[in-house]
Amino acid sequence: MRFVKGHGTENDFVILPDPDGELELTAGRVAALCDRRAGIGADGVLRAVRTKAAADPAVEGQDAEWFMDYRNADGSIAEMCGNGTRVFARYLVSAGLAAPGEWDIATRAGLRRVALGPAGDVRVDMGPPAYLGTGEATLAGRTYRGAAVSVGNPHLACRVDEPVAGLDLCRAPGFDAAQFPEGVNVEFYRFLGDRHVEMRVFERGSGETRSCGTGTVATALAAAIAQAGGGAAAPRGTWTVDVPGGRVTVDLEDLTSHLTGPAVLVAEGEIILAE
Ligand SMILES: N[C@@H](CCC[C@H](N)C(=O)O)C(=O)O
């Protein structure tokens, strides 16, 4: 079957066009595709299926032509993927399946509105990130306090004072499984300036990645709350988030948030699907 490979700030994806929902996408098949030695290699898979053909109750009734069926590299299903949404939108336009402009994409976290031209950055309405209180992550014998944030999927954004490049993210950070029964994406961020942070992430289901769009939104909210001295009434504003794979912008607004950044398609080809 055909595939396209793309990335958003080096958070990379295999895109599988499946307009009529015919593909049986097992967890094993996703993990095999994402394998960086024995497969194509990616942080996740984006299956492009027409919403009306998607046999997924999570998107039933969503008024969008296309459903982004996102899977993590280990084959697990996630509610949302911010970088993936930008890459998905760029793919639909590039393939002639949607026109440049503004339209909605169905996701398990609800409709996400994208805005894009014939080339260049993509802007995604990420909805209002929800601050859910504090939490703790452990890494290399140290405990980090963070903000639990839902961006449709779960995050724990922890502030650090040292450069994030020095953190050992070879192993998964520990977290309280009672607080995050479905697992959690853990971000570590450091202030670089006014509304400017650097961030690294260990993603649920994929390990350390070079970027995480939902994670940058969670981090911007956590940093805004920290800057305001705590509490959920964070000031609104535009944040710059530097990640190992590049830079994105997060707008925290009264009723929603927007994520803006690159979306690049790098290859297309044919997969030989081993059964
Ligand atoms: N990289 C994504 C997030 C993908 C899902 C995440 N690993 C989860 O399990 O929630 C992004 O750009 O948001």
Side-chain angles (χ1 to χ4, degrees), residues 1-3 29 33 38 40 269-275:
M1 70 172 299
R2 304 292 301 168
F3 77 95
R29 193 166 267 182
L33 287 171
I40 295 168
E270 190 112 341
I271 301 165
I272 302 158
L273 279 177
E275 289 310 314

Side-chain angles (χ1 to χ4, degrees), residues 127-262:
Y131 174 64
L132 303 172
T134 58
E136 283 183 352
T138 53
L139 187 69
R142 278 182 61 185
T143 301
Y144 297 86
R145 270 182 86 70
V149 178
S150 173
V151 190
N153 58 350
H155 293 267
L156 177 59
C158 303
R159 181 178 175 178
V160 299
D161 292 324
E162 67 273 25
V164 294
L167 295 168
D168 175 11
L169 283 178
C170 293
R171 272 174 298 277
F175 60 86
D176 179 359
Q179 184 178 15
F180 301 106
E182 309 295 331
V184 67
N185 303 284
V186 183
E187 290 83 26
F188 297 92
Y189 72 91
R190 178 174 75 114
F191 279 95
L192 295 179
D194 185 32
R195 292 183 183 160
H196 184 192
V197 292
E198 59 167 359
M199 180 202 101
R200 278 175 71 196
V201 59
F202 194 98
E203 283 195 38
R204 175 180 69 166
S206 297
E208 187 184 8
T209 59
R210 307 269 302 162
S211 178
C212 174
T214 49
T216 61
V217 175
T219 290
L221 181 65
I225 290 170
Q227 200 169 61
R236 297 329 200 194
T238 298
W239 287 77
T240 302
V241 185
D242 291 350
V243 290
R247 175 175 282 183
V248 298
T249 299
V250 176
D251 295 305
L252 297 175
E253 295 151 36
D254 281 337
L255 300 176
T256 192
S257 63
H258 283 88
L259 169 69
T260 307

